[in-house]
């Protein structure tokens, strides 16, 4: 997947500057600016870096937080979780299991049945629409 000689250059060529900043440098997009925040289309949300299937639109909900929110990943092993203590907070970072891309964070204030809110940057995703 990555260029073994220079993975950073591989990602810089493959991604837009904003995608690179968010996915490879653990940035975030401003709230309420992402193209999928209010998206109602059905399909599978994939990692913009490697194309791994991450979320089903059936698990998406409007949380009002400013980023696309999901209450469940497509598969339990499609995401990795890491402690994030940046910005003076304790949060759980979510990354793509396949390529390590930073996607966003998961919080324990979501709807049933999981009670989870996966708060994901739109620029980290691409929607494979159902026809």
């Amino acid at each position: 997947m990555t260029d073994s000689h220079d993975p950073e250059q591989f990602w810089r060529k493959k991604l837009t500057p904003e995608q690179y900043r968010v996915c490879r440098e653990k940035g975030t997009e401003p709230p309420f600016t992402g193209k999928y925040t209010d998206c109602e289309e059905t399909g599978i949300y994939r990692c913009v870096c490697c194309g791994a299937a991450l979320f089903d639109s059936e698990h998406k909900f409007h949380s009002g937080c400013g980023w696309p929110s999901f209450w469940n990943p497509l598969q339990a092993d499609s995401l990795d979780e890491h402690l994030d203590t940046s910005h003076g907070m304790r949060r759980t970072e979510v990354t793509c299991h396949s390529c390590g891309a930073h996607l966003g964070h998961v919080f324990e204030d979501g709807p049933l049945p999981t009670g989870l809110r996966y708060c994901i940057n739109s620029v980290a995703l691409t929607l494979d629409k159902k026809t």
Side-chain angles (χ1 to χ4, degrees), residues 92-110:
T92 303
E93 176 193 13
V94 179
T95 59
C96 175
H97 178 74
S98 296
C99 72
H102 170 76
L103 304 170
H105 294 86
V106 61
F107 302 94
E108 294 180 354
D109 62 358

Side-chain angles (χ1 to χ4, degrees), residues 31-32 36-40 59-71 105 107 109-111 115-120:
F32 303 103
Y36 297 125
T37 303
D38 295 317
C39 181
E40 302 276 341
H59 299 153
K60 189 174 186 289
F61 69 101
H62 292 286
S63 69
C65 72
W67 292 272
S69 297
F70 304 86
W71 54 267
H105 294 86
F107 302 94
D109 62 358
L116 299 174
R117 174 175 54 98
Y118 290 86
C119 184
I120 307 298

Side-chain angles (χ1 to χ4, degrees), residues 6 29 36 47 55 87 90 112 115 130:
D6 192 350
E29 63 194 6
Y36 297 125
C47 175
F55 299 97
H87 307 292
R90 280 183 68 86
L112 293 176
K130 289 183 184 171

